[in-house]
Every structure is written in structure tokens, then in C-alpha cells.
Amino acid sequence: MPMSVHPMQGPNRLKLGIFSANADGGLTLTRAPERWRAAWPDVVTVAQMADRAGLEFFLPIARWRGFGGATNAREWSFETLTEAAALAAHTQNIALFATVHVPMVHPVFAAKALATIDHASNGRAGLNIVCGWNPEEFACFGLELIEDRYGQGLEWFDILTRICTADTPFDFAGQYYNLRGVCGLPHPVQRPRPVTLNAGFSPPGRAFAARAADYLFTTFIEIDAGREQIADMEARAAAEGRAVGVYTTCHVVCRPTQAEAERYYEHYAVEMEDTAGADHYMGNKQKFSGSHDPEAYRLHRKRFVGGAGTYPLIGTPEAIAAELQRISAAGFAGVALSFVNFKNEMPYFLTEVLPRLQGMGLRV
Ligand SMILES: Cc1cc2nc3c(=O)[nH]c(=O)nc-3n(C[C@H](O)[C@H](O)[C@H](O)COP(=O)(O)O)c2cc1C
């Protein structure tokens, strides 16, 4: 029997997931020796930990190159469609996302791979569409970054969704794809297609999400600014006659005292920063992506080293639960969490923060 409710549509007001555990360093650019190495058995362990704790989703990052420096973070990363299929056999309830680069992965292939994950997981597959930003990764495929990334993305998504429902082969004539006799069985378990996120920040990214995603997956600098982004996303979706929720992502250091949490944050994200890796990453990301508010690069180097420019949740279980409550009150539907070392750090977070969120009525 397929799952009756996809985890992303379950009862919790604030959905939680794990982000980037498939990649060396997770979201960090730190030389701290305990940093995440993403050994396969450890990836399985944290996926199972998240699953048992009732988290809603497991979301990988899509990377094809590292960021140089002392650690060359993320060069070691598991491909996300095959990872999700493998994790289907190791987990019971959690949604398993694949993060798929539009220009690198053909939509006919992506549709079949996604349907495979959906069957293997009994309807728990998820698609996170990324249109890409990193020219070094595009070059690995012999591709160049194009201006109209989202135009290609819309054609890609149209083809994929049609494959998910088409009963007879169809032709597609677009600007980026010219295909004949396209078909694909089995259709996914989820109807009409697996739950879909789009990772982006810029206005064109939001315009794309308004047409092609169930949820925008985005960043923010301050919670109040996040509120405005959500209002903008809602207006864009409404103009398309759709509703699109907004997920975000945060990096976490949770400790019994605030001082301990801040000390460790300073240690791994400042004293032990991978300086050349961070310079490379921040320089290219600022130049080629619109993933963050431009102010973020000037103000928040620590956040880029600590968690790829995401919002920090640093403190006691009480303080972190209170921040998550503010994030939920701002209108975010869910948060993808990352840790320096997922396996070591998640047990304390899960044991101490989840019950507090239940007490606040954010999770059942
Ligand atoms: C929260 C978030 C997660 C992202 N994850 C990835 C990723 O895994 N791989 C990738 O190449 N790009 C990733 N991106 C980059 C986006 O796919 C997009 O290419 C980038 O944000 C530039 O588009 P934009 O200007 O519309 O934001 C992410 C962006 C955001 C905001």
C-alpha cells in the first residue's frame, strides 16, 4: 500500500529535515578534525536517526566539485538520485529527496529515476530542483551557465511532469528540448508527481517556484526579512493560481549552555575556518548565484564557514526551540538542519529540542 500521507503533508506545523549529510563537510567549510566526512555507513545512520525521530525529510546537496582550500569540501558527495533509492531500503517513513541539476540531468532520465525512488520507498520520494550557479561544475559537463536558466527549468519540469502522468507517448518541441515519442512507466506512486521543492532566492527563482514547485527552499539573513520573502512568494504563487509554501535551512550548534554553544561555533567557524576554501566558495557564489541577500557576504563570513550562509541556530535547547518558533511564526513551513558532525550532534538536538517544539504546539 502506498503511504496515505506524504511526510511533507503530515500534521506537524513546523516540518524538520536534514540537509547536506551526503557531502563532505555538510554545509561547513571548517578544518575541525571532527568535521563531517559523509562516509556511507554514517549517512545511513543519520538518515535512520532522523527517520526514527519522526523528522519529515532527508535532503541532499547536489555537488560535482569541491571548493578547494585545505579540505576541498563537498568534492566527496553522494549523487542524490541514487542515494535516495539506496536510503529507501534503510528507512521507513521519512521523505527522501533528490536534488537535481536541470542542465546536467536530462528530464527523461530524472523522471524515471524519481519514479524508481518513489516505488522503492513506497511513495516517499521528493524532488528538489536546482537550476545551478557554479560555472566550475557546469564545465565538468562541458556546459556553460546560461542566462535563461529558469526558462530551461520550466521546459525541464514540464517534460518531467508530463512523463509522470502521460498514458501515451508525446512529442515536445521547446527552446531547450526537442523530443519525440517520450514516455515512461511506471508512473510514480505519488499523484500527479512527487513533492517538489525549488532551491533559490532571487526574484526569478521565486517566479520559477511559483510555476513549478510545491515549496520554495530558500535562505534568509534575519527572520523578519524572511517574512517579507514569504509574502513575496505567496503573491507570486497566487498570481499563478497556486499555493507555494516556503522552507528554509539553518546550521545548528546545540549545547547545555549558551556559552558552550557559542564557544564551539567560534572554534569551528572562525579559528578552524578553511580560509582558501571559504574565499573560493564565497567569491564564486556571490559572483554567479543569487542564493543570498548580497549583504550576507559582507556581514556574515562566519555563517558561510559555519553553514554555507544559512541562518545560525546556536545555543541551548530552549534558545533553539524559541528561534524555531519565531521562524515558524514568520511563516516558514519547515527547516532543513545541518550540523558540524551530524552523527555526533543530532542525538542531543533530537532529545532536547523536539520535546520543546511539541510543548510549543509546533510538532505532535
Ligand atoms: C537553500 C538553497 C539550497 C541550494 N542547494 C543547491 C544545491 O544543492 N546545488 C546547487 O548547485 N545549487 C544549490 N542552490 C543554488 C540554486 O539552485 C540556484 O542555482 C541559485 O540559488 C541561483 O539561483 P537564484 O539566483 O534564483 O537563487 C541552492 C540554493 C538555495 C537558496
Side-chain angles (χ1 to χ4, degrees), residues 254-256 316-322 324-325 348-363:
C254 189
R255 294 287 186 276
T316 60
E318 293 77 18
I320 289 179
L324 286 168
Q325 190 176 35
Y348 185 66
F349 175 91
L350 296 172
T351 314
E352 295 297 328
V353 179
L354 289 192
R356 288 175 167 83
L357 297 177
Q358 283 162 15
M360 293 166 165
L362 294 176
R363 297 182 60 83

Side-chain angles (χ1 to χ4, degrees), residues 316-339:
T316 60
E318 293 77 18
I320 289 179
E323 281 286 84
L324 286 168
Q325 190 176 35
R326 286 182 62 219
I327 289 170
S328 170
F332 286 103
V335 182
L337 305 165
S338 73
F339 299 81

Side-chain angles (χ1 to χ4, degrees), residues 247-303:
Y247 277 66
T248 192
T249 168
C250 297
H251 55 286
V252 180
V253 178
C254 189
R255 294 287 186 276
T257 68
Q258 191 69 31
E260 273 174 87
E262 281 170 15
R263 204 159 44 236
Y264 184 61
Y265 190 33
E266 183 74 11
H267 172 69
Y268 90 83
V270 178
E271 292 155 12
M272 296 299 283
E273 79 162 21
D274 180 349
T275 303
D279 287 344
H280 185 135
Y281 173 74
M282 291 176 69
N284 273 5
K285 194 114 207 224
Q286 184 162 21
K287 201 150 132 205
F288 299 112
S289 92
S291 299
H292 301 273
D293 196 316
E295 279 291 273
Y297 297 95
R298 194 172 61 76
L299 294 174
H300 297 302
R301 184 176 178 94
K302 189 171 176 179
R303 293 186 186 181

Side-chain angles (χ1 to χ4, degrees), residues 6 8-9 97 125-128 190 193-197 214-215:
H6 190 277
M8 302 286 277
Q9 278 128 19
F97 275 83
L127 169 66
N128 180 25
Q190 293 169 71
R193 54 161 173 76
V195 170
T196 301
L197 308 180
D214 302 309
Y215 302 97

Side-chain angles (χ1 to χ4, degrees), residues 149-187:
R149 278 174 297 170
Y150 288 114
Q152 182 180 6
L154 283 174
E155 287 190 11
W156 189 97
F157 182 69
D158 191 13
I159 295 161
L160 182 132
T161 47
R162 283 174 70 182
I163 295 171
C164 290
T165 52
D167 290 323
T168 50
F170 63 92
D171 295 345
F172 186 94
Q175 195 180 337
Y176 300 98
Y177 300 95
N178 206 330
L179 316 176
R180 279 185 301 283
V182 180
C183 53
L185 289 177
H187 290 152

Side-chain angles (χ1 to χ4, degrees), residues 89-161:
H90 292 288
T91 54
Q92 301 293 321
N93 298 306
I94 195 164
L96 298 166
F97 275 83
T99 297
V100 183
H101 275 114
V102 162
M104 284 78 150
V105 183
H106 197 279
V108 175
F109 178 87
K112 190 168 276 291
L114 201 61
T116 305
I117 300 164
D118 214 31
H119 282 262
S121 67
N122 207 11
R124 292 185 283 134
L127 169 66
N128 180 25
I129 303 176
V130 291
C131 289
W133 61 273
N134 185 348
E136 293 171 355
E137 292 185 327
F138 278 61
C140 296
F141 289 79
L143 296 169
E144 290 191 1
L145 271 177
I146 60 165
E147 190 70 33
D148 186 29
R149 278 174 297 170
Y150 288 114
Q152 182 180 6
L154 283 174
E155 287 190 11
W156 189 97
F157 182 69
D158 191 13
I159 295 161
L160 182 132
T161 47

